[in-house]
Amino acid sequence: VQLQASGGGLVQAGDSLRLSCTASRGSFSTWRAGWFRQAPGYGREFVAAIASDTYYAGSVKGRFTISRDNTKNTVSLQMNSLKPEDTAVYYCAAALDLQSSADNVDDYDYWGQGTLVTVSS
Protein backbone atom coordinates (compact mmCIF):
# COMPACT_ATOMS: atom_id res chain seq x y z
CA VAL A 1 0.00 0.00 0.00
CA GLN A 2 1.29 3.42 -0.92
CA LEU A 3 -0.04 6.61 0.56
CA GLN A 4 0.32 9.86 -1.32
CA ALA A 5 0.09 13.12 0.59
CA SER A 6 -0.39 16.46 -1.14
CA GLY A 7 -1.48 20.02 -0.51
CA GLY A 8 1.43 21.49 1.38
CA GLY A 9 2.84 24.91 0.65
CA LEU A 10 3.94 28.27 1.95
CA VAL A 11 1.28 30.40 3.63
CA GLN A 12 1.09 33.27 6.05
CA ALA A 13 -0.02 33.05 9.64
CA GLY A 14 -3.79 32.97 9.83
CA ASP A 15 -4.20 31.35 6.43
CA SER A 16 -5.67 27.94 5.67
CA LEU A 17 -4.45 24.86 3.84
CA ARG A 18 -6.02 21.55 3.02
CA LEU A 19 -3.91 18.42 2.88
CA SER A 20 -5.07 15.27 1.16
CA CYS A 21 -3.94 11.68 1.30
CA THR A 22 -4.86 8.93 -1.13
CA ALA A 23 -4.14 5.22 -0.90
CA SER A 24 -2.99 3.05 -3.81
CA ARG A 25 -5.16 0.19 -2.59
CA GLY A 26 -7.12 -0.90 0.40
CA SER A 27 -9.67 1.33 2.03
CA PHE A 28 -9.54 4.13 4.53
CA SER A 29 -13.05 3.09 5.52
CA THR A 30 -11.62 0.03 7.28
CA TRP A 31 -8.40 1.62 8.59
CA ARG A 32 -7.65 4.32 11.04
CA ALA A 33 -6.08 7.22 9.16
CA GLY A 34 -3.80 9.67 10.87
CA TRP A 35 -1.79 12.80 10.24
CA PHE A 36 1.53 13.39 11.92
CA ARG A 37 4.05 16.16 11.53
CA GLN A 38 7.75 16.61 12.01
CA ALA A 39 9.43 19.95 12.44
CA PRO A 40 13.19 20.35 11.92
CA GLY A 41 15.07 18.97 14.91
CA TYR A 42 12.00 17.35 16.45
CA GLY A 43 10.45 13.92 16.41
CA ARG A 44 7.29 13.00 14.58
CA GLU A 45 4.24 14.12 16.51
CA PHE A 46 0.58 13.23 16.31
CA VAL A 47 -1.79 15.74 14.76
CA ALA A 48 -5.13 14.05 14.10
CA ALA A 49 -6.71 10.68 13.37
CA ILE A 50 -10.02 9.32 12.20
CA ALA A 51 -11.68 5.96 12.47
CA SER A 52 -15.18 5.73 13.92
CA ASP A 53 -14.23 8.82 15.94
CA THR A 54 -11.84 11.69 15.40
CA TYR A 55 -8.86 12.50 17.58
CA TYR A 56 -6.80 15.67 17.75
CA ALA A 57 -3.66 16.89 19.40
CA GLY A 58 -4.36 19.66 21.84
CA SER A 59 -2.26 22.10 19.84
CA VAL A 60 -4.51 21.83 16.77
CA LYS A 61 -7.92 21.14 18.27
CA GLY A 62 -10.41 23.71 17.09
CA ARG A 63 -8.22 24.75 14.16
CA PHE A 64 -7.70 21.50 12.22
CA THR A 65 -10.35 19.11 10.97
CA ILE A 66 -9.71 15.60 9.70
CA SER A 67 -12.21 14.02 7.35
CA ARG A 68 -12.57 11.00 5.15
CA ASP A 69 -14.18 10.52 1.73
CA ASN A 70 -14.80 6.82 1.30
CA THR A 71 -15.93 7.21 -2.31
CA LYS A 72 -12.53 8.65 -3.24
CA ASN A 73 -10.55 6.68 -0.65
CA THR A 74 -9.09 9.95 0.55
CA VAL A 75 -8.38 11.47 3.92
CA SER A 76 -8.06 15.21 4.28
CA LEU A 77 -6.77 17.60 6.90
CA GLN A 78 -8.27 21.07 6.81
CA MET A 79 -5.95 23.43 8.60
CA ASN A 80 -7.26 26.86 9.56
CA SER A 81 -5.74 29.72 11.51
CA LEU A 82 -2.28 28.42 10.80
CA LYS A 83 0.56 29.49 13.05
CA PRO A 84 4.32 29.57 12.43
CA GLU A 85 4.66 26.72 14.92
CA ASP A 86 2.59 24.56 12.57
CA THR A 87 5.52 24.57 10.15
CA ALA A 88 6.56 20.98 9.54
CA VAL A 89 6.53 18.11 7.12
CA TYR A 90 3.10 16.51 7.40
CA TYR A 91 2.71 12.77 6.95
CA CYS A 92 -0.41 10.75 6.46
CA ALA A 93 -0.54 7.24 7.86
CA ALA A 94 -2.85 4.28 8.08
CA ALA A 95 -3.29 1.77 10.87
CA LEU A 96 -4.82 -1.65 10.30
CA ASP A 97 -5.47 -2.35 13.98
CA LEU A 98 -8.31 -0.14 15.09
CA GLN A 99 -7.65 -1.12 18.71
CA SER A 100 -4.18 0.38 18.65
CA SER A 101 -3.39 3.84 19.89
CA ALA A 102 -4.44 6.70 17.63
CA ASP A 103 -1.55 8.96 18.60
CA ASN A 104 1.28 6.42 18.62
CA VAL A 105 3.60 6.57 15.63
CA ASP A 106 4.51 2.93 16.10
CA ASP A 107 0.90 1.79 15.75
CA TYR A 108 0.64 2.85 12.11
CA ASP A 109 1.45 0.44 9.32
CA TYR A 110 1.63 2.59 6.21
CA TRP A 111 3.07 6.05 5.68
CA GLY A 112 2.99 8.63 2.97
CA GLN A 113 6.07 10.51 1.80
CA GLY A 114 5.26 13.78 3.56
CA THR A 115 4.27 17.22 2.36
CA LEU A 116 5.89 20.41 3.61
CA VAL A 117 3.82 23.11 5.25
CA THR A 118 5.56 26.40 5.93
CA VAL A 119 3.76 29.15 7.82
CA SER A 120 5.42 32.54 7.81
CA SER A 121 4.78 35.14 10.49
Side-chain angles (χ1 to χ4, degrees):
V1 175
Q2 291 185 330
L3 304 182
Q4 180 73 38
S6 62
L10 171 63
V11 297
Q12 292 186 332
D15 286 349
S16 299
L17 270 180
R18 186 177 182 87
L19 306 182
S20 295
C21 179
T22 58
S24 61
R25 58 183 175 91
S27 175
F28 279 123
S29 65
T30 62
W31 302 335
R32 183 179 63 249
W35 287 95
F36 290 77
R37 66 187 182 187
Q38 187 166 13
Y42 290 86
R44 198 165 294 191
E45 68 169 359
F46 170 73
V47 175
I50 184 169
S52 57
D53 292 316
T54 55
Y55 310 85
Y56 295 95
S59 59
V60 306
K61 199 167 188 178
R63 300 188 298 123
F64 292 10
T65 302
I66 189 170
S67 61
R68 181 175 62 199
D69 185 338
N70 293 335
T71 64
K72 298 180 180 179
N73 204 23
T74 298
V75 173
S76 298
L77 184 69
Q78 177 66 40
M79 305 185 295
N80 299 329
S81 302
L82 282 162
K83 304 175 181 180
E85 51 263 43
D86 295 318
T87 294
V89 176
Y90 283 71
Y91 298 88
C92 62
L96 304 181
D97 181 4
L98 298 183
Q99 302 305 313
S100 61
S101 177
D103 61 354
N104 189 343
V105 167
D106 294 332
D107 283 341
Y108 285 79
D109 301 284
Y110 305 118
W111 290 85
Q113 84 288 2
T115 185
L116 177 62
V117 173
T118 304
V119 184
S120 64
S121 57

